[in-house]
Coordinates of all heavy atoms in Angstrom, one line a residue:
E1 N 16.7 -1.8 -6.4 CA 15.9 -3.0 -6.2 C 16.4 -3.8 -5.0 O 17.5 -3.6 -4.6 CB 15.9 -3.9 -7.5 CG 15.3 -3.3 -8.7 CD 15.3 -4.2 -9.9 OE1 16.3 -4.7 -10.3 OE2 14.2 -4.4 -10.5
L2 N 15.6 -4.7 -4.5 CA 15.9 -5.5 -3.4 C 16.4 -4.6 -2.2 O 17.4 -4.9 -1.5 CB 17.0 -6.6 -3.7 CG 16.6 -7.5 -4.9 CD1 17.8 -8.5 -5.2 CD2 15.4 -8.4 -4.5
C3 N 15.7 -3.6 -2.1 CA 16.0 -2.5 -1.1 C 15.1 -2.6 0.1 O 13.9 -2.3 0.0 CB 15.9 -1.2 -1.8 SG 16.3 0.3 -0.8
E4 N 15.7 -3.0 1.2 CA 14.9 -3.1 2.4 C 15.0 -1.8 3.2 O 16.0 -1.3 3.6 CB 15.4 -4.2 3.3 CG 14.6 -4.4 4.6 CD 15.2 -5.5 5.5 OE1 16.0 -6.2 5.0 OE2 14.7 -5.6 6.6
I5 N 13.8 -1.1 3.4 CA 13.7 0.1 4.1 C 13.7 -0.2 5.6 O 12.8 -0.9 6.1 CB 12.5 0.9 3.7 CG1 12.7 1.4 2.2 CG2 12.3 2.2 4.6 CD1 11.5 2.1 1.7
T6 N 14.6 0.3 6.4 CA 14.7 0.0 7.8 C 14.1 1.1 8.7 O 13.7 0.9 9.8 CB 16.2 -0.1 8.2 OG1 16.9 1.1 7.9 CG2 16.8 -1.3 7.5
A7 N 13.9 2.3 8.1 CA 13.3 3.4 8.9 C 12.8 4.5 7.9 O 13.3 4.7 6.8 CB 14.3 4.1 9.8
L8 N 11.7 5.1 8.3 CA 11.0 6.0 7.5 C 10.5 7.2 8.3 O 9.7 7.0 9.2 CB 9.8 5.4 6.7 CG 9.0 6.3 5.8 CD1 9.8 6.7 4.6 CD2 7.8 5.5 5.3
D9 N 11.1 8.4 8.1 CA 10.7 9.6 8.8 C 10.1 10.6 7.9 O 10.7 11.2 7.0 CB 11.9 10.2 9.5 CG 11.6 11.4 10.3 OD1 10.4 11.7 10.5 OD2 12.5 12.0 10.9
L10 N 8.8 10.7 8.0 CA 8.0 11.6 7.1 C 7.7 13.0 7.7 O 7.0 13.8 7.1 CB 6.7 10.9 6.7 CG 6.9 9.6 5.9 CD1 5.5 9.0 5.6 CD2 7.7 9.8 4.7
S11 N 8.2 13.2 8.9 CA 7.9 14.5 9.6 C 9.0 15.5 9.1 O 10.0 15.2 8.5 CB 8.1 14.3 11.1 OG 9.4 13.9 11.4
G12 N 8.6 16.8 9.3 CA 9.5 17.8 8.9 C 9.5 18.1 7.4 O 8.9 17.5 6.6
D13 N 10.2 19.2 7.0 CA 10.2 19.6 5.6 C 11.0 18.6 4.8 O 10.8 18.5 3.6 CB 10.8 21.0 5.5 CG 9.9 22.1 6.1 OD1 8.7 21.8 6.2 OD2 10.5 23.1 6.6
I14 N 12.0 18.0 5.3 CA 12.9 17.0 4.6 C 12.6 15.6 5.2 O 12.7 15.4 6.3 CB 14.4 17.3 4.7 CG1 14.7 18.7 4.2 CG2 15.2 16.3 4.0 CD1 14.3 18.9 2.7
K15 N 12.1 14.8 4.3 CA 11.8 13.4 4.7 C 13.0 12.5 4.6 O 13.9 12.8 3.7 CB 10.7 12.8 3.8 CG 9.6 13.8 3.4 CD 8.9 14.4 4.5 CE 7.8 15.4 4.0 NZ 7.1 16.1 5.1
A16 N 13.1 11.5 5.4 CA 14.3 10.6 5.3 C 13.9 9.2 5.2 O 12.9 8.7 5.9 CB 15.1 10.8 6.6
V17 N 14.5 8.4 4.3 CA 14.3 7.0 4.1 C 15.6 6.3 4.3 O 16.5 6.5 3.6 CB 13.7 6.7 2.7 CG1 13.4 5.2 2.6 CG2 12.5 7.6 2.4
A18 N 15.6 5.4 5.3 CA 16.9 4.7 5.6 C 16.8 3.3 5.1 O 15.8 2.6 5.3 CB 17.2 4.8 7.1
T19 N 17.9 2.8 4.5 CA 18.0 1.4 4.1 C 19.2 0.8 4.8 O 19.9 1.5 5.6 CB 18.1 1.3 2.6 OG1 19.4 1.8 2.2 CG2 17.1 2.1 1.9
E20 N 19.5 -0.4 4.5 CA 20.7 -1.0 5.2 C 22.0 -0.4 4.7 O 23.0 -0.4 5.4 CB 20.7 -2.5 4.8 CG 19.6 -3.3 5.4 CD 19.6 -4.8 5.0 OE1 20.1 -5.1 4.0 OE2 19.1 -5.6 5.8
D21 N 22.0 0.3 3.5 CA 23.2 0.8 3.0 C 23.3 2.3 3.0 O 24.4 2.9 2.9 CB 23.4 0.3 1.5 CG 23.4 -1.2 1.4 OD1 24.1 -1.8 2.3 OD2 22.7 -1.7 0.6
A22 N 22.2 3.0 3.0 CA 22.2 4.5 2.9 C 21.0 5.1 3.5 O 20.0 4.5 3.8 CB 22.3 4.9 1.4
V23 N 21.0 6.5 3.5 CA 19.9 7.3 3.9 C 19.6 8.2 2.8 O 20.5 8.9 2.3 CB 20.2 8.1 5.2 CG1 19.0 9.0 5.5 CG2 20.4 7.2 6.4
Y24 N 18.3 8.3 2.4 CA 17.9 9.1 1.3 C 17.0 10.2 1.8 O 16.1 9.9 2.6 CB 17.1 8.3 0.2 CG 17.9 7.2 -0.4 CD1 17.9 5.9 0.2 CD2 18.8 7.3 -1.5 CE1 18.6 4.8 -0.3 CE2 19.5 6.3 -2.0 CZ 19.5 5.0 -1.4 OH 20.2 4.0 -1.9
A25 N 17.2 11.4 1.4 CA 16.5 12.6 1.9 C 15.9 13.4 0.8 O 16.5 13.5 -0.3 CB 17.4 13.5 2.7
A26 N 14.7 13.9 1.0 CA 14.0 14.7 0.0 C 12.8 15.4 0.6 O 12.2 15.0 1.6 CB 13.5 13.7 -1.2
P27 N 12.4 16.5 0.0 CA 11.3 17.3 0.5 C 9.9 16.6 0.1 O 8.9 16.9 0.7 CB 11.4 18.6 -0.2 CG 12.2 18.4 -1.4 CD 13.1 17.3 -1.1
A28 N 10.0 15.6 -0.8 CA 8.7 15.0 -1.3 C 9.0 13.5 -1.3 O 10.0 13.0 -1.8 CB 8.3 15.5 -2.6
V29 N 7.9 12.7 -0.9 CA 8.0 11.3 -1.0 C 6.6 10.8 -1.6 O 5.6 11.3 -1.3 CB 8.1 10.6 0.4 CG1 7.9 9.1 0.3 CG2 9.5 10.9 1.0
I30 N 6.7 9.9 -2.6 CA 5.6 9.3 -3.2 C 5.5 7.8 -2.7 O 6.4 7.1 -2.9 CB 5.6 9.4 -4.7 CG1 5.6 10.8 -5.2 CG2 4.4 8.6 -5.3 CD1 5.7 11.0 -6.7
L31 N 4.4 7.5 -2.0 CA 4.2 6.1 -1.6 C 3.4 5.4 -2.6 O 2.3 5.6 -3.0 CB 3.4 6.1 -0.3 CG 4.0 7.0 0.9 CD1 3.0 7.0 2.0 CD2 5.3 6.4 1.3
A32 N 4.1 4.4 -3.2 CA 3.5 3.5 -4.3 C 3.8 2.1 -4.0 O 4.3 1.3 -4.8 CB 4.1 4.0 -5.7
T33 N 3.5 1.7 -2.8 CA 3.8 0.4 -2.3 C 2.9 -0.7 -2.7 O 3.2 -1.9 -2.5 CB 3.9 0.4 -0.7 OG1 2.7 1.0 -0.2 CG2 5.1 1.2 -0.3
G34 N 1.8 -0.4 -3.3 CA 0.9 -1.4 -3.9 C 0.3 -2.4 -2.9 O 0.0 -2.0 -1.7
R35 N 0.0 -3.6 -3.4 CA -0.7 -4.6 -2.6 C 0.0 -6.0 -2.7 O 0.9 -6.2 -3.6 CB -2.1 -4.7 -3.1 CG -2.9 -3.4 -3.0 CD -4.4 -3.6 -3.3 NE -4.6 -3.8 -4.8 CZ -5.7 -3.9 -5.4 NH1 -6.8 -3.8 -4.6 NH2 -5.8 -4.1 -6.7
T36 N -0.4 -6.9 -1.8 CA 0.1 -8.3 -1.9 C -1.1 -9.2 -1.9 O -2.2 -8.8 -1.4 CB 1.0 -8.6 -0.7 OG1 0.3 -8.3 0.5 CG2 2.3 -7.8 -0.8
P37 N -1.0 -10.4 -2.4 CA -2.1 -11.3 -2.5 C -2.6 -11.7 -1.1 O -1.8 -11.9 -0.2 CB -1.5 -12.5 -3.2 CG -0.4 -12.0 -4.0 CD 0.2 -10.9 -3.1

């Protein structure tokens, strides 16, 4: 929680999601970012 994503690379077979503290990698990403008022 309270996780700010600083970079998102969806190209290639392995996707990468970078935050201020770590980089997360996976072959699949689900975008469930929702909406704001």
Side-chain angles (χ1 to χ4, degrees):
E1 293 182 309
L2 303 175
C3 178
E4 181 180 352
I5 294 176
T6 57
L8 180 63
D9 184 2
L10 300 178
S11 63
D13 294 334
I14 302 299
K15 323 301 180 185
V17 183
T19 70
E20 294 177 333
D21 303 315
V23 174
Y24 302 92
V29 170
I30 297 176
L31 303 173
T33 50
R35 300 184 289 186
T36 53

